[in-house]
Amino acid sequence: MIRHCKTALVAMIALMLPAAAQAHPGHEVASPLVSGLLHPLTGADHLVAMVMVGLWGGMLAGRAKWAAPAAFVGAMVIGFGYALLGQPSGLAEGGILLSILLLGLALALRLKASWAVAAAVTGAFGFVHGMAHGLEAPAGDVATFAFGFIAATAALHALGVVIGSRVPVQALRAMGAVGAGFAVFLLAA
């Protein structure tokens, strides 16, 4: 059991080291699908938040386990469309950092939630992540780009749910603490 905790903690730390939270365009060199698939994977801020949504979902019981990731994805699509319409989106980067901080604290403190509360919280986070994706969307085929980032996000959520359902409580708490610490680091950077 201790070995699993250490492995999970090392994996979470490794996910957080690559980059500070910031816009990360530059995927335009690939096809719109590949650009979309890479977008949540190449920014540490998005990557950590996506996995932590799944981890928190995995810790929750019943419908909340999948309601949290599903609400995130649904609201992310709405936030993406909102940004594409040219709506003000100054909240995107701050909202992403807040999502990492609060998800980290929810894991570290083992905060439980009903499916409705979990969906509302992660939906709000999904909206700001979607706005960031919309702001960073390459010109051209935005529908294919969106399909890519939706698929990558759903896969990261599913990975988090599986891990969150199977690792010991201590590992989840440690990953949450590291996630919250990462958010504080990004806020200070």
Side-chain angles (χ1 to χ4, degrees):
M1 181 168 359
I2 298 295
R3 191 174 112 220
H4 293 296
C5 288
K6 288 180 183 176
T7 302
L9 184 57
V10 167
M12 189 70 165
I13 291 170
L15 288 174
M16 295 179 190
L17 291 177
Q22 56 185 320
H24 47 95
H27 309 304
E28 297 83 11
V29 296
S31 72
L33 177 62
V34 173
S35 295
L37 287 167
L38 290 176
H39 192 85
L41 301 173
T42 58
D45 52 345
H46 290 301
L47 181 63
V48 171
M50 306 302 179
V51 172
M52 287 199 320
V53 166
L55 290 171
W56 190 47
M59 184 185 84
L60 300 174
R63 291 190 287 177
K65 182 174 297 227
W66 292 105
F72 186 101
V73 171
M76 182 179 66
V77 171
I78 295 168
F80 178 72
Y82 184 77
L84 289 180
L85 292 173
Q87 298 303 314
S89 50
L91 300 175
E93 290 304 321
I96 290 169
L97 291 176
L98 184 62
S99 73
I100 297 168
L101 177 65
L102 295 180
L103 287 165
L105 290 173
L107 286 168
L109 300 173
R110 286 193 41 87
L111 297 179
K112 303 286 184 168
S114 68
W115 73 267
V117 170
V121 168
T122 58
F125 297 155
F127 185 82
V128 296
H129 280 267
M131 286 189 335
H133 293 321
L135 292 172
E136 299 162 5
D141 188 357
V142 294
T144 303
F145 173 75
F147 179 80
F149 76 73
I150 291 165
T153 297
L156 289 168
H157 288 338
L159 173 67
V161 168
V162 169
I163 293 169
S165 299
R166 296 189 175 157
V167 299
V169 171
Q170 301 89 333
L172 281 176
R173 286 186 168 192
M175 287 185 272
V178 170
F182 180 61
V184 170
F185 167 77
L186 292 176
L187 286 167

